[in-house]
Amino acid sequence: MSRRDSTSYQWSARGFIAPGVILVAVLLYAPLLWTTYLSFTEYNGLGDPDWVGLANYGAMFADPEFFGSLGNTLLWVAGTLIVPVGLGLGLALLTFDLKGGIWLRLPFLIPYAISGIGVGLIWSFILQSDGALDQALALVGVVDPPRWLLDAPLNTVVMILASAWQGVGVNALLFTIGLQSIPKEPLEAARLDGARGARLFGSILWPMLRPLTAVVIGLSIVASLKTFDIVQGMTKGGPGRASETLALTMYKDTFVNSDYGLGSAIAVFLTIVTLVASVLYLRQQLSKKNEI
Amino acid sequence: MSRSIRTAVLIVAGIIWLLPVYLLVINAAKSPADFTSKEAWLPNGFALFDNMADALSLSGLGDAVLSTLIYAVVSPIVAVLVGAAAGFAIVALRLKHGFAWFVVIFGGTVFPLQMVLIPLFDGYSRVGLFDTRFGMVLIYTAISVPFSAFVMRNFFSGIAHNVFEAAVVDGASTWRIFTRVYIPMAMSALVAIFILQATFVWNDLLLGLTLSQSDDVRPIVTTLSGMQSTYGGAQLSTVLAAGILVSLPTVVLFLFTQKFFAKGLALGQY
């Protein structure tokens, strides 16, 4: 196609891209800027915001509960990377090339379609004191089970596992799509050369899965930083504020305590952490790619 | 590992994985009178539908069903088309600085939702969109656009440019090429995005909590979250039944479209 031809559709192209750009600009970017501005103000939702500079950030870092919330959030990031991503990959490898694999994966996909609140509901029922899990443990002779949802950091750990119960299936599905897209020839060649199991995985499957792994891990980091639903559904951040995540702290400070400035400051902090994590991760991922 | 061992491991793991679902179903089926949390593992009676009916009539869950259905159908459809139009502009029409525009749209997903909550709540209150169905449809659409644009741009990149040129030679307008050639070719990808985004919208809690209030605007998951704190003890079976009711549509959607959905995304990758 000549240069002239490729530029002749510019007006029509602008028309096609405009709806997307306008929606995103008005409903996502404009609010984003406004939140950043609000984080430097004192505002309770009524009247006008008062400029207070960095006072909200000062208050945020002075609050010991904030660091508890930050710690829980980091625990969520680490837990989400290890459990659902790891198990998802394991599941994809187990079902890979297996007859009826699609049916064998099905039980793991069902929880994914259940909402975070639904998952929270099921698991609080299971984990409540004297609940289903404690009853099962009593049968095998455990008389004094841990207080699953009442003690920190155990409550965060069990919520991470509940969230893993929900997330493994979709990670497995994504890894399966990745495995299926690996060209058959190198795989067959490696098998003929006698590569099996761990060796086949290490030398062929894992390197070829890397672009997909980058996406899955990136999505997991971003999603776990924003963890809200399951915690809201299981402990509401409690007892006290022991299992709060940053997303929950932000929600409470803003909409329960009507401190919009502080809520905005937490949102900005959360955003910076998310961006830094994404950039660090992507950079590391890109440098790895160059080594191959 | 041999195939039979792998299959056996998967079957056992699958059964363990479904135990929470088993607990949910048998306990949601106990009538409030027979419900005792002391026997969580034993089924007792079948009052599931009664409990669901109770859940629907109490607590405004019934009102929430229709509005949630509107959000979960309308927003993803609009978003998928808007995203496809963006992908079409960048790939087929070769929009100048197309990649930069793509980054602008896709950048919308990078930030946590928490960043937009306060201004949306504040702005919606000022312009009269707070607690309206239109306001909810609007934000769910905007949130679904970036992912849709991402998949559609990838998908259209896989279509040879000759297709576009041939249609131009036939004298078709860009609008006609988009609606008659590109959209029909992309059906599997469009449906895959629709399913993912519909599931997301159906299961959303945070925007529902923030931007709506009344029973007939509040999304269903938000209503369920409210029920959980209102009820306790004997009525737990009703709340569990509500949990099933709320989860059933997305579970069914997912199971019936699994194959299709995997295919749509796989095509989208290349």
Side-chain angles (χ1 to χ4, degrees), chain A residues 29 35 97 113 130 132 135 165, chain B residues 3 37-38 41 104 115 250:
Chain A
Y29 284 111
T35 300
D97 268 0
D130 226 5
Q135 290 168 33
W165 178 73
Chain B
R3 281 166 195 247
S37 56
K38 296 278 172 219
W41 293 89
V104 167
M115 252 335 242
T250 43

Side-chain angles (χ1 to χ4, degrees), chain A residues 16 19, chain B residues 75-87 145 148 152 178 183 190:
Chain A
F16 275 98
Chain B
S75 294
I77 288 183
V78 177
V80 156
L81 292 176
V82 168
V145 162
S148 162
M152 292 318 295
F178 177 61
I183 290 284
L190 293 173

Side-chain angles (χ1 to χ4, degrees), chain B residues 4-248:
Chain B
S4 49
I5 296 177
R6 281 200 281 161
T7 309
V9 168
L10 284 163
I11 290 173
V12 172
I15 291 172
I16 294 173
W17 218 253
L18 288 179
L19 283 179
V21 177
Y22 162 79
L23 284 170
L24 173 69
V25 173
I26 63 159
N27 286 288
K30 293 174 183 170
S31 77
D34 297 335
F35 185 85
T36 153
S37 56
K38 296 278 172 219
E39 289 169 348
W41 293 89
L42 302 174
N44 178 12
F46 193 79
L48 182 60
F49 297 116
D50 294 340
N51 288 338
M52 283 182 175
D54 280 350
L56 277 175
S57 59
L58 298 167
S59 73
L61 202 63
D63 291 325
V65 172
L66 176 66
S67 38
T68 313
L69 200 61
I70 297 175
Y71 308 150
V73 173
V74 176
S75 294
I77 288 183
V78 177
V80 156
L81 292 176
V82 168
F88 179 71
I90 295 166
V91 175
L93 300 176
R94 299 189 168 170
L95 175 73
K96 257 188 218 161
H97 313 299
F99 188 71
W101 285 113
F102 169 70
V103 170
V104 167
I105 294 182
F106 189 63
T109 54
V110 177
F111 304 93
L113 207 49
Q114 279 74 16
M115 252 335 242
V116 300
L117 286 180
I118 297 174
L120 281 178
F121 170 70
D122 207 12
Y124 266 34
S125 308
R126 283 168 205 253
V127 299
L129 283 173
F130 177 75
D131 201 26
T132 63
R133 283 179 177 166
F134 180 70
M136 299 305 293
V137 167
L138 205 57
I139 184 61
Y140 285 134
T141 306
I143 289 217
S144 307
V145 162
F147 177 73
S148 162
F150 171 75
V151 177
M152 292 318 295
R153 178 182 158 271
N154 283 359
F155 186 87
F156 287 149
S157 305
I159 294 176
H161 203 66
N162 300 344
V163 173
F164 179 76
E165 285 162 23
V168 170
V169 171
D170 287 345
S173 67
T174 50
W175 176 250
R176 213 178 146 76
I177 298 173
F178 177 61
T179 54
R180 295 296 167 83
V181 181
Y182 275 72
I183 290 284
M185 275 198 294
M187 235 29 197
S188 62
L190 293 173
V191 173
I193 307 167
F194 172 82
I195 293 164
L196 276 178
Q197 296 300 322
T199 311
F200 163 78
V201 171
W202 186 275
N203 288 337
D204 164 70
L205 173 69
L206 199 49
L207 290 167
L209 273 179
T210 314
L211 300 177
S212 69
Q213 199 169 34
S214 45
D215 283 348
D216 57 340
V217 178
R218 281 228 127 155
I220 196 163
V221 167
T222 311
T223 310
L224 177 65
S225 162
M227 274 180 88
Q228 231 186 317
S229 31
T230 326
Y231 294 92
Q235 275 155 329
L236 190 57
S237 55
T238 315
V239 183
L240 292 173
I244 294 183
L245 206 61
V246 167
S247 308
L248 214 51

